[in-house]
Amino acid sequence: MSFFNLEKYPPSFLFLCLTLGIALLLLSGLEGRNLVRWQPITLFGKVALFYYILHLFAIHTLALLIVMLLGYPWQTMIFIGPTSQISPILQGKYGFDLVEIYLLWISIVSLLYPVCVSWYLLKNKNKSKWWVSYV
């Protein structure tokens, strides 16, 4: 079972083989198929950079709000040292279970979906503008 010993940072050869292999298998399986049922998912691929930037702001804003609702100062979310080290004030007192993380993930994607739809419609209306295709 040693081939499951993958390292994401820095990406090991096995990690790249696994992730790229699965992606290529999915791509070959979906090639030429009618993906109308998958339209809500393919939308995120059409506005990828827009969604990426938007979700970063949404997640960080949500984390900041949760910290303040728990009664901690917002300054605890400013990392001075390495980002992998949590603030000493929050050590052992802040975090979520895996189920809560999945619920937050589904909530963020659901909240950003209508914004991505409207951006996609705006993007289609303004194809002649050069900057629209990049976002």
Side-chain angles (χ1 to χ4, degrees):
M1 297 301 284
S2 65
F3 59 88
F4 284 122
N5 188 16
L6 309 176
E7 291 190 27
K8 188 175 180 182
Y9 298 111
S12 66
F13 180 69
L14 290 174
F15 176 79
L16 292 174
C17 287
L18 181 71
T19 54
L20 292 174
I22 291 172
L24 290 174
L25 286 173
L26 284 172
L27 184 62
S28 69
L30 295 174
E31 182 72 30
R33 293 190 184 224
N34 186 2
L35 300 177
V36 174
R37 292 183 318 196
W38 295 90
Q39 190 173 2
I41 295 173
T42 59
L43 172 81
F44 290 111
K46 294 174 185 174
V47 294
L49 181 61
F50 179 76
Y51 174 77
Y52 179 75
I53 293 169
L54 198 62
H55 100 283
L56 285 178
F57 282 110
I59 290 172
H60 285 87
T61 304
L62 183 66
L64 189 65
L65 288 173
I66 290 172
V67 162
M68 291 189 318
L69 286 174
L70 291 174
Y72 298 105
W74 65 270
Q75 290 87 352
T76 57
M77 294 303 286
I78 298 175
F79 298 109
I80 297 170
T83 56
S84 60
Q85 290 180 347
I86 194 165
S87 171
I89 298 170
L90 298 177
Q91 189 74 35
K93 301 172 191 167
Y94 181 76
F96 299 102
D97 295 336
L98 187 58
V99 174
E100 294 169 331
I101 293 293
Y102 279 131
L103 289 174
L104 284 169
W105 169 61
I106 291 169
S107 301
I108 292 287
V109 171
S110 300
L111 287 172
L112 295 182
Y113 182 77
V115 181
C116 289
V117 168
S118 57
W119 174 253
Y120 180 68
L121 294 173
L122 179 77
K123 189 175 175 179
N124 274 343
K125 286 180 189 176
N126 298 307
K127 286 184 179 181
S128 62
K129 296 181 181 174
W130 66 270
W131 62 271
V132 175
S133 65
Y134 291 104
V135 181

